[in-house]
Amino acid sequence: MMLAYLPYAVAAWVFLWGLYGIVTSKNLVHQVVCVAILQTSTYVLLLAIGYKVGGTAPVFADIPVGTSVVDPLVQALMLTDIVVEAAVMALLLSMVVKANELAGTVDPEELRFLMG
């Protein structure tokens, strides 16, 4: 019974560590990595939601009717999540590079002059 909640606890733990890193970091590159860690918690959460004991892959060829299969929607969401994370990481890292070119630093405290 307790193991049923373990993936959710791991997802929450990874999420909180990513959030802690974002809040406490003094380096934009480190903050981007922490965003990636925070995003990784959604993978664990989707795995926990989509896992089905005894379930097989949702390929309906050569399996008998009534066979337990996992939900293909969760797998599609995970693939979408991976693609979105890659795009967001590329965008954030390009913004860090641009900030470093403009200010010569990646410390968020020293970049306050960029605020409007």
Side-chain angles (χ1 to χ4, degrees), residues 27-116:
N27 186 314
L28 288 178
V29 176
H30 184 255
Q31 286 182 340
V32 170
V33 171
C34 289
V35 168
I37 291 171
L38 189 139
Q39 179 76 25
T40 304
S41 69
T42 60
Y43 303 155
V44 179
L45 184 64
L46 287 172
L47 282 172
I49 291 170
Y51 180 73
K52 191 175 201 178
V53 176
T56 62
V59 178
F60 295 105
D62 299 331
I63 61 171
V65 176
T67 301
S68 178
V69 295
V70 295
D71 187 4
L73 179 63
V74 176
Q75 296 173 2
L77 284 173
M78 181 174 276
L79 288 174
T80 304
D81 193 15
I82 291 170
V83 171
V84 168
E85 181 185 5
V88 168
M89 291 304 110
L91 178 67
L92 289 175
L93 287 174
S94 67
M95 292 171 71
V96 170
V97 168
K98 194 66 178 173
N100 190 35
E101 286 176 1
L102 289 174
T105 182
V106 290
D107 186 356
E109 294 295 325
E110 296 177 15
L111 294 173
R112 290 199 181 271
F113 72 90
L114 294 176
M115 295 176 64

